[in-house]
């Protein structure tokens, strides 16, 4: 996408939809997330919250998906390439299949048998009575058809068209309640201001609200080598993070989740979409961030921590020294502690001279604690 002239947000959108196929436990279309984005230049850094919305009827609840409308909002404001071009690779991955990654195989292998109680979920991810192993082919024809509808007709079909009516009915059937189509139609992502931490001549932008305020306090404590705040993040379920930068100085950092290791462990009707679970508390299991040079309005760093509280602490421990000027990413990442035995991951790009002004200075590396990918359209 970057090689084709796309922006960092274009790359993030395409990455998300591909991961909705290859890592559907956390990146499912049934979930949502938070992104921090910047176009570079004179534009402000913004955060967008597109977490799924809770719909309650009686003592039962379902989650109204937020990811499709959230990604479309990002693309509408910051994208350059055509929407259809960003979704087509994901659609093809679902239709023709992809070898199960080590990350997804290990995620599903650790699930109890009860997690595969839903017949549709079991048919897709454990077709022979046990979870698909690394390298086995995962085909998701129903998800491919859903992605084709979103590619051709945009989010309107997902939130207000025939697909919305079908998803609402099937979500309701799944929970034994009636979900009106209006619950889909009314869903909107929220653009918010960021929480800002001054880092020399740069600004570190975190999501706004309590999560961002807590992360800012931890980041300052780590940078100043003072005791950590007592209210450290506690949410431990899985999430997925991805980051991107572009030659115009733009940056995007996103974390997505389904509020559980594989969300609710249920497929929404015939859509192929893994349903999200109701939220556990009010915290989000990941942390995206962008660091911008104030004078040049040029991204210097972008990072995302995923995997719950361990991922949040991991990205804060990684960026405090890195964004403070230490570019030895391999040494910093390899020295990070494992928080409480949990496996958090960090995605990070650091460009000490700026993405636009000094792209050759950029450093990026896959977290040795995970099974991710770090790549460049230029190198």
């Amino acid at each position: 996408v970057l090689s084709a002239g796309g922006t960092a947000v274009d790359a993030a959108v395409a990455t998300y939809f591909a991961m909705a196929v290859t890592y559907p436990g956390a990146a499912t279309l049934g979930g949502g997330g938070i992104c921090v984005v910047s176009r570079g230049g004179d534009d402000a850094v913004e955060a967008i919250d597109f977490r799924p919305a809770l719909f309650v009827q009686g003592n039962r609840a379902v989650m109204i998906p937020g990811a499709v409308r959230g990604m479309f909002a990002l693309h509408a404001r910051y994208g350059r390439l055509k929407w259809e071009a960003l979704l087509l690779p994901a659609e093809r991955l679902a239709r023709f299949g992809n070898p199960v990654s080590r990350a997804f195989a290990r995620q599903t292998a650790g699930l109890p048998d009860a997690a595969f109680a839903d017949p549709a979920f079991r048919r897709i991810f454990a077709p022979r009575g046990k979870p698909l192993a690394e390298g086995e082919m995962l085909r998701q024809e129903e998800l491919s058809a859903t992605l084709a509808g979103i590619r051709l007709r945009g989010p309107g079909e997902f939130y207000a068209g025939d697909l919305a009516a079908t998803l609402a009915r099937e979500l309701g059937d799944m929970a034994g309640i009636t979900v009106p189509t209006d619950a889909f139609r009314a869903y909107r992502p929220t653009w918010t201001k960021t929480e800002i931490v001054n880092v020399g001549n740069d600004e570190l932008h975190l999501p706004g609200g309590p999560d961002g305020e807590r992360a800012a306090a931890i980041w300052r404590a780590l940078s100043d080598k003072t005791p950590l705040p007592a209210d450290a993040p506690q949410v431990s379920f899985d999430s997925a993070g991805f980051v991107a930068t572009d030659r115009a100085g733009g940056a995007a950092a996103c974390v997505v989740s389904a509020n559980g290791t594989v969300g609710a462990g249920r497929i929404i009707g015939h859509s192929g979409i893994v349903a999200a679970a109701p939220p556990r508390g009010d915290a989000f299991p990941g942390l995206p961030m962008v660091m911008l040079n104030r004078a040049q309005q040029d991204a210097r760093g972008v990072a995302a921590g995923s995997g719950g509280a361990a991922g949040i602490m991991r990205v804060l421990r990684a960026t405090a020294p890195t964004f403070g000027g230490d570019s030895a990413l391999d040494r910093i990442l390899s020295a990070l502690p494992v928080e409480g035995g949990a496996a958090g991951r960090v995605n990070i790009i650091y460009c000490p001279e700026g993405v636009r002004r000094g792209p050759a200075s950029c450093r990026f590396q896959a977290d040795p604690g995970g099974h991710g990918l770090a790549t460049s359209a230029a190198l």
Side-chain angles (χ1 to χ4, degrees), residues 195 207-216 231 282:
E195 179 76 19
D211 289 345
E213 293 171 3
R214 186 185 302 113
D231 60 339
D282 59 355

Side-chain angles (χ1 to χ4, degrees), residues 201-217:
N201 294 322
D202 301 320
E203 294 176 339
L204 179 68
H205 291 260
L206 303 162
D211 289 345
E213 293 171 3
R214 186 185 302 113

Side-chain angles (χ1 to χ4, degrees), residues 261-275:
T261 302
V262 286
R266 304 283 297 275
I267 301 295
I268 304 175
H270 297 87
S271 67
I273 297 173
V274 177

Side-chain angles (χ1 to χ4, degrees), residues 57-373:
Q57 192 174 87
N59 61 352
R60 300 187 179 186
V62 295
M63 302 304 295
I64 307 301
V68 173
R69 189 158 263 172
M71 286 293 150
F72 188 84
L74 272 171
H75 177 262
R77 186 170 293 193
Y78 289 98
R80 181 182 299 147
L81 302 184
K82 290 184 177 180
W83 171 257
E84 297 86 348
L86 303 181
L87 272 71
L88 187 58
E91 180 188 335
R92 288 173 173 166
L93 273 174
R95 177 181 299 127
F96 300 114
N98 65 278
V100 172
S101 68
R102 180 169 299 172
F104 188 60
R106 293 193 176 183
Q107 181 191 46
T108 54
L111 295 174
D113 292 341
F116 298 91
D118 177 45
F121 187 86
R122 186 171 60 250
R123 172 175 54 82
I124 297 172
F125 301 115
R128 291 179 297 281
K130 61 180 181 179
L132 290 170
E134 179 184 350
E136 289 191 86
M137 192 61 66
L138 171 61
R139 291 187 174 86
Q140 301 172 80
E141 289 85 357
E142 293 169 335
L143 180 59
S144 176
T146 300
L147 285 165
I150 298 168
R151 172 177 62 85
L152 294 170
R153 293 179 286 277
E157 174 72 4
F158 195 91
Y159 290 95
D162 292 340
L163 178 57
T166 299
L167 290 172
R169 183 182 68 253
E170 292 176 334
L171 259 181
D173 292 344
M174 187 182 78
I177 59 177
T178 300
V179 179
T181 306
D182 284 348
F184 274 73
R185 186 179 291 113
Y187 180 86
R188 294 290 186 278
T190 304
W191 291 98
T192 66
K193 292 183 178 180
T194 56
E195 179 76 19
I196 300 175
V197 179
N198 291 318
V199 186
N201 294 322
D202 301 320
E203 294 176 339
L204 179 68
H205 291 260
L206 303 162
D211 289 345
E213 293 171 3
R214 186 185 302 113
I218 296 171
W219 202 92
R220 292 188 183 100
L222 290 169
S223 298
D224 297 338
K225 296 181 173 57
T226 58
L228 297 179
D231 60 339
Q234 299 298 321
V235 178
S236 61
F237 54 85
D238 196 25
S239 58
F242 44 96
V243 301
T245 58
D246 61 45
R247 292 292 291 269
C254 298
V255 178
V256 293
S257 173
N259 299 333
T261 302
V262 286
R266 304 283 297 275
I267 301 295
I268 304 175
H270 297 87
S271 67
I273 297 173
V274 177
R280 307 176 186 182
D282 59 355
F284 184 64
L287 181 67
M289 62 179 71
V290 169
M291 187 170 73
L292 195 72
N293 180 270
R294 278 194 295 265
Q296 303 296 335
Q297 291 297 296
D298 189 3
R300 290 190 63 208
V302 55
S306 59
I312 294 172
M313 289 305 302
R314 193 168 179 85
V315 72
L316 290 168
R317 291 187 188 279
T319 54
T322 304
F323 290 178
D326 188 342
S327 60
L329 270 183
D330 54 348
R331 176 178 52 78
I332 291 171
L333 291 178
S334 61
L336 290 176
V338 176
E339 306 287 343
R345 286 94 57 195
V346 55
N347 302 292
I348 182 169
I349 305 170
Y350 176 54
C351 305
E353 297 175 18
V355 177
R356 184 178 65 249
R357 292 174 61 85
S361 71
C362 293
R363 301 290 180 267
F364 51 91
Q365 182 175 329
D367 189 334
H371 309 290
L373 171 70

